[in-house]
Amino acid sequence: MSVKTDLKINIPDWAKKDRIYHVFFWVGLYVAFIIVDPNPLSAFVFIKELVNIFFYIIIVYFNLFYLIPTYLRGTSSGIHYAIALVLSAIVLTPIKTLVFYLLFTNQPGVQGFFIAKQGTIFFSTLFYGAVSTIFQIILDWQKGTREKIELQHKNTESELKYPIAFFK
């Protein structure tokens, strides 16, 4: 007996073609987080930022490949999408906190720090999800505009190619 799943993940063409750009973006963001930190050469910062990037990747690609196609491009309203995005951030926050807690088991002060910063963890996760939504909406709008201009151009060409049919 086989298990059938109904989860369909729509991977846009740009994500298939431009994987190297995605890798460069995430590596660049990781390096930027390390450089901006007041103590950039500590092992703590390397581990902390690696976990941060990992969870930002999860929320961004879950948003792009599942939430946006399901809730924003479907028949659902924007409210359903917003609720789903917030719930995703709510689910990821304790998981991320637990990962930090387990990574720093020998450092109770650091564990307490991450437990106390769950609000910040939630809002940063939600922020990256929202920013990825804005970028995807802009890309979809540009694609729609480009397709509209192409259709207008083809319509104009066909009108100029067969002018007599329009004057009858």
Side-chain angles (χ1 to χ4, degrees):
M1 190 164 131
S2 66
V3 177
K4 183 178 179 184
T5 61
D6 291 330
L7 178 64
K8 293 181 181 177
I9 298 176
N10 300 325
I11 300 175
D13 291 336
W14 60 264
K16 293 175 188 171
K17 295 176 187 172
D18 299 332
R19 287 183 186 150
I20 192 73
Y21 296 121
H22 291 254
V23 171
F24 283 142
F25 170 78
W26 291 114
V27 169
L29 191 61
Y30 176 68
V31 169
F33 284 165
I34 290 172
I35 291 171
V36 171
D37 197 271
N39 191 8
L41 298 178
S42 72
F44 170 76
V45 172
F46 287 118
I47 293 169
K48 178 185 76 140
E49 297 307 342
L50 189 62
V51 171
N52 281 332
I53 291 294
F54 177 74
F55 278 91
Y56 295 152
I57 288 170
I58 290 172
I59 191 71
V60 165
Y61 290 114
F62 180 69
N63 186 27
L64 293 177
F65 298 147
Y66 181 72
L67 293 179
I68 290 175
T70 302
Y71 294 104
L72 283 184
R73 293 186 187 136
T75 57
S76 298
S77 69
I79 298 296
H80 291 120
Y81 167 76
I83 291 169
L85 183 61
V86 169
L87 286 175
S88 300
I90 288 172
V91 168
L92 285 175
T93 298
I95 296 171
K96 185 176 178 180
T97 304
L98 180 64
V99 168
F100 281 131
Y101 190 86
L102 295 174
L103 281 172
F104 300 104
T105 54
N106 297 333
Q107 301 172 358
V110 174
Q111 289 175 330
F113 170 79
F114 286 116
I115 290 171
K117 293 290 184 177
Q118 286 190 60
T120 305
I121 292 170
F122 167 76
F123 284 112
S124 65
T125 303
L126 186 62
F127 173 77
Y128 281 91
V131 167
S132 68
T133 302
I134 292 167
F135 279 118
Q136 188 60 46
I137 288 171
I138 290 169
L139 290 174
D140 287 349
W141 177 76
Q142 286 177 336
K143 181 180 177 185
T145 303
R146 196 170 32 251
E147 289 173 354
K148 182 179 174 183
I149 290 171
E150 287 175 12
L151 285 174
Q152 287 174 343
H153 181 69
K154 286 180 182 179
N155 189 24
T156 303
E157 281 182 352
S158 65
E159 288 174 2
L160 291 175
K161 193 173 187 180
Y162 304 106
I164 298 173
F166 294 106
F167 294 114
K168 287 186 178 181

